[in-house]
Amino acid sequence: MKIIQIEVTSRCNASCIMCPKPFLTDGWDIGDLPFEDYLRLREYFDEFDIIWLQGWGEPLLSKDIFQMIVTAYRKDRIVGLTTNAMLLTDSASKKLIESGVKTVAISIAGARKETHESIRIGTSFNKILENVDCLERSRRSMNARDLRIIFTFLRMKQNIKELPELVELASNLNVDEIVGTNLDYIPSRKHYEMKIFSEDKARLEYLEIIEESEEKARELGISIYNYPLEMREVPICSENPLENIYIAHDGAVSPCVYLNVPLRNNMIPRYFKNKQYNIPRLIFGNIKTEQLREIYDKKEFLRFRDIYRRRTELWKASEDALSRMLEFSNLDSRIPELPEPCRTCYKAYGV
């Protein structure tokens, strides 16, 4: 499914321990996408199946968020966002549904108050549960049957043990799905120590917890998806730059959110395999001064995507089913290397 992800704001009302914003606060570019710039994208919306209104900030802080949803709405299209749910009041829930939102993903960091609030600092666990319950009640009362409510659980050493318990909590709240993600953007050694995925074999303890959570989800009839815990180079990452595109709050256009962290010096710090890197923001144009189609068709952008096109085609052409299960980079000597900005991104390795 083709996705256009739009960062409506880079501001946030929380200071989560794994987020780059508190760590890079002095260089963080704080701002909102003006509604007039958002409207520049409207003519392209029909080319996408999903319009996701969130980047590195909290979308409900945008004063234009409801009008943005109305503008993007179409019956056969998904308009969604990810929120920390602190502003997901009764009024906001009703406005989201009235505006036509189809998916609300709620970031939660634990099944218990102490765990969640020690990670997502500045948020209230009880308030979030109240607001999720409010959203679900509004869904029923307004007969919004096509609205999906999702818990996104960023799994770390600090909270992984509570994943099975979170499944029960989600079931009690009538949440539709849980997505267990990894700490895949790691700006420093401190953040690196929080991750649970492995550069070789995953820890048995973590695998057993995940298996328990999936068994519990089956018992309770709730959907769950857990990202892999072992790194393995993939032909194309889940951000899929062949079909998807990202626009930051300042109008900068990139292949994905990980290549466009809103930093004033335009350098993205990454800690990858025990080594520190600084990667320039990969920006191919700006919607404030150019048409999105012109940006998308630039030679530089086409060359970037062509690497992934060739990687994907060669992988699909492999007739040896066993070799497909091996390390992707060893499949075929003709397979082009990852684009340089992607080589130190954990998303390129399937986690």
Side-chain angles (χ1 to χ4, degrees):
M1 299 183 79
K2 293 184 177 181
I3 303 170
I4 181 169
Q5 183 176 358
I6 305 168
E7 180 182 62
V8 298
T9 181
S10 66
R11 296 183 293 128
C12 192
N13 52 352
S15 296
C16 305
I17 64 171
M18 64 289 189
C19 178
K21 183 177 179 290
F23 175 70
L24 302 167
T25 186
D26 292 340
W28 199 259
D29 182 22
I30 297 173
D32 294 358
L33 179 71
F35 189 62
E36 57 268 28
D37 290 335
Y38 177 82
L39 290 177
R40 295 174 187 269
L41 300 169
R42 179 170 50 181
E43 64 182 284
Y44 303 102
F45 285 167
D46 283 346
E47 299 179 32
F48 297 93
D49 303 306
I50 299 174
I51 299 172
W52 202 261
L53 301 178
Q54 188 260 343
W56 292 100
E58 168 51 53
L60 294 182
L61 286 171
S62 168
K63 64 180 178 63
D64 298 312
I65 187 62
F66 303 111
Q67 190 59 37
M68 287 174 167
I69 295 169
V70 169
T71 302
Y73 173 78
R74 197 179 68 186
K75 191 174 183 180
D76 59 347
R77 175 190 295 140
I78 294 172
V79 183
L81 52 82
T82 304
T83 175
N84 61 34
M86 286 301 293
L87 299 175
L88 195 62
T89 60
D90 179 63
S91 173
S93 291
K94 287 181 169 61
K95 284 182 181 178
L96 284 172
I97 293 171
E98 288 168 354
S99 300
V101 75
K102 294 286 182 64
T103 304
V104 178
I106 292 144
S107 300
I108 192 161
R112 304 174 190 174
K113 174 182 171 68
E114 308 77 36
T115 306
H116 174 91
E117 293 183 1
S118 69
I119 295 170
R120 293 196 173 272
I121 296 170
T123 68
S124 164
F125 182 72
N126 291 337
K127 180 67 174 173
I128 290 167
L129 298 192
E130 289 173 12
N131 288 349
V132 173
D133 184 57
C134 179
L135 177 64
E136 207 285 317
R137 282 188 283 107
S138 294
R139 173 171 65 173
R140 282 185 281 116
S141 66
M142 298 173 73
N143 199 29
R145 296 178 182 177
D146 55 354
L147 171 62
R148 285 184 62 77
I149 303 173
I150 296 172
F151 269 171
T152 58
F153 182 73
L154 202 164
R155 305 165 307 177
M156 302 184 296
K157 290 176 182 175
Q158 291 90 333
N159 64 9
I160 182 62
K161 291 181 179 179
E162 293 181 21
L163 181 54
E165 194 176 337
L166 185 75
V167 174
E168 294 184 13
L169 178 63
S171 178
N172 291 337
L173 289 166
N174 289 323
V175 168
D176 300 296
E177 183 178 6
I178 299 166
V179 179
T181 62
N182 288 312
L183 183 56
D184 42 33
Y185 173 56
I186 298 179
S188 73
R189 176 77 194 184
K190 171 187 164 187
H191 295 83
Y192 182 82
E193 294 297 332
M194 300 177 191
K195 71 176 181 62
I196 63 163
F197 67 83
S198 175
E199 290 159 12
D200 40 60
K201 291 289 290 181
R203 283 181 59 174
L204 181 60
E205 173 193 6
Y206 298 153
L207 292 172
E208 288 175 344
I209 292 169
I210 287 170
E211 184 179 358
E212 181 186 349
S213 74
E214 292 173 352
E215 287 178 1
K216 192 172 289 291
R218 283 191 290 272
E219 290 171 9
L220 296 172
I222 185 169
S223 176
I224 188 168
Y225 176 76
N226 278 297
Y227 275 79
L229 290 187
E230 294 179 2
M231 285 177 59
R232 179 178 294 178
E233 186 177 332
V234 291
I236 188 167
C237 70
S238 58
E239 299 303 299
N240 193 355
L242 285 180
E243 294 192 340
N244 306 334
I245 198 166
Y246 177 74
I247 294 95
H249 76 277
D250 60 0
V253 178
S254 296
C256 76
V257 65
Y258 296 93
L259 291 170
N260 200 341
V261 182
L263 295 167
R264 287 192 292 270
N265 67 358
N266 289 323
M267 297 298 292
I268 302 170
R270 285 182 185 162
Y271 195 87
F272 181 79
K273 291 188 175 182
N274 283 312
K275 188 175 179 181
Q276 190 75 49
Y277 296 86
N278 284 292
I279 309 298
R281 285 173 79 190
L282 188 62
I283 297 169
F284 289 107
N286 196 297
I287 62 166
K288 293 177 182 287
T289 56
E290 303 165 271
Q291 291 291 317
L292 183 61
R293 173 56 60 186
E294 293 173 1
I295 297 169
Y296 193 74
D297 289 340
K298 283 184 179 180
K299 290 181 180 178
E300 300 88 346
F301 206 169
L302 288 169
R303 279 197 294 268
F304 178 90
R305 297 198 304 274
D306 189 58
I307 293 173
Y308 281 111
R309 181 189 59 76
R310 287 185 287 139
R311 286 169 63 89
T312 304
E313 287 175 354
L314 285 166
W315 179 76
K316 288 180 178 178
S318 172
E319 295 179 358
D320 183 351
L322 178 61
S323 69
R324 281 190 174 201
M325 299 173 64
L326 301 175
E327 186 71 24
F328 169 74
S329 57
N330 296 331
L331 270 181
D332 194 318
S333 59
R334 297 171 298 161
I335 291 174
E337 273 193 288
L338 288 161
E340 188 171 353
C342 302
R343 293 172 196 169
T344 54
C345 178
Y346 284 111
K347 296 298 290 183
Y349 302 89
V351 295

